[in-house]
Amino acid sequence: MDARETFGGGVAVITGAGAGIGAGLARHANALGMSLVLVDVDAAAIATLRDELVATGGSAVDIVCDVRDPAAMTALAERVYRDVGPVRLLVNNAGVEQFGYLWDTPVQNWNRVMDINVSGVFHGVRAFLPNMIATPSPAWVWNLSSIGGVAAVPLQAPYIISKHAVLALTECLRLEVQLAGHDHIQVQAVLPGAVKSNIFEAAGGVDPAADGADVAAAESTREAMLDIKAAAMDPVEAAEVVFEQAARGEFYLLTQPEYVGSAMAERAEVLRTQTAPQLRTGRRFDPAKH
């Protein structure tokens, strides 16, 4: 089956839908004929996207919700099932970045990354999956990891750690869903490469008032990532690739299969040979080299 046959007519809930790949997934889901529930903390962004999708004849509602809040996520799920309908596709996408040496990272920035990128996925699964299990029709859960989820990268440690964690969470969840016999639920991991978003502009940095904090290292990494963004993939094009892979039943959904796949192969080889992490030229991670 193709993506339209698989997903068309269903309800998709997308967190972090206000920008980047979240908005791209929403736009393509709309083109496939899905009804959208756009979730974000940026009320203006998702309201604008809702208006855009409705203007094209689509069905979309926008709901402001912080994925860090488990009670709010539970209330979101209850509202969706009450007012919109059964969820065919849950996309736990909300995420943030962090630049700088790990020892310079403010505690509140560390907590922000973990609470959104990791706990936000957990809260989404915990809030929605029981209802998805209880509904006999096929349903999908996508959790957003990253090419960074299979890499070791300096000066972005909190983000990289969080994306490794999301990948492991998703792999374990897939096994648990299978173990429990819920054959109508598909759990899949999304690993985007470089896709245009505002995640780098909004990323946390280090406190310039902290003694010895290397602000320059953090900000030069931000500049390098913004250079990569300039040549990054369009979010709607990335979404189209992801939806087609998902419809084929693949587990690892890669926006750029060749270079994200090569990063996965490199990671596997590093683990196989037990090779210590090595700095790349210029110290920074460039997805274009994978």
Side-chain angles (χ1 to χ4, degrees), residues 5 89 100 109 123 175 177 231 247 255:
E5 292 175 306
L89 174 63
N109 290 25
H123 297 323
L175 294 175
V177 166
T255 58

Side-chain angles (χ1 to χ4, degrees), residues 242-254:
V242 167
F243 268 97
E244 289 298 335
Q245 291 173 347
R248 292 196 298 267
E250 298 175 19
F251 174 73
Y252 298 103
L253 311 180
L254 316 180

Side-chain angles (χ1 to χ4, degrees), residues 8-210:
V11 172
V13 177
I14 303 175
T15 68
I21 194 167
L25 290 167
R27 289 186 171 102
H28 190 63
N30 176 69
L32 294 175
M34 301 194 78
S35 296
L36 275 300
V37 179
L38 310 171
V39 182
D40 208 302
V41 292
D42 189 336
I46 52 175
T48 299
L49 181 56
R50 175 207 64 210
D51 291 344
E52 174 194 323
L53 301 182
V54 171
T56 66
S59 173
V61 296
D62 56 310
I63 303 176
V64 175
C65 185
D66 190 337
V67 299
R68 295 174 291 186
D69 184 340
M73 289 296 287
T74 298
L76 170 68
E78 292 172 351
R79 176 177 173 183
V80 170
Y81 272 82
R82 182 187 67 240
D83 298 340
V84 183
V87 174
R88 184 171 299 177
L89 174 63
L90 170 66
V91 183
N92 291 306
N93 165 70
V96 294
E97 249 277 23
Q98 170 66 33
F99 297 130
Y101 288 109
L102 188 59
W103 56 87
D104 286 339
T105 301
V107 170
Q108 65 268 27
N109 290 25
W110 167 271
N111 289 339
R112 174 175 179 255
V113 172
M114 296 303 154
D115 288 347
I116 295 173
N117 293 13
V118 182
S119 294
V121 174
F122 166 66
H123 297 323
V125 169
R126 190 169 181 271
F128 280 91
L129 191 55
N131 281 326
M132 298 170 79
I133 288 171
T135 304
S137 55
W140 285 257
V141 177
W142 296 356
N143 296 331
L144 269 287
S145 181
S146 165
I147 189 173
V150 293
V153 185
L155 298 168
Q156 299 179 57
Y159 176 81
I160 297 300
I161 292 164
S162 75
K163 293 306 181 179
H164 277 253
V166 170
L167 184 56
L169 182 158
T170 309
E171 291 168 336
C172 292
L173 180 63
R174 180 180 176 91
L175 294 175
E176 292 184 0
V177 166
Q178 291 175 345
L179 179 64
H182 303 308
D183 297 336
H184 66 295
I185 303 293
Q186 291 291 323
V187 176
Q188 295 164 311
V190 184
L191 282 76
V195 176
K196 291 186 187 299
S197 76
N198 64 359
I199 193 171
F200 300 137
E201 291 91 336
V206 301
D207 184 357

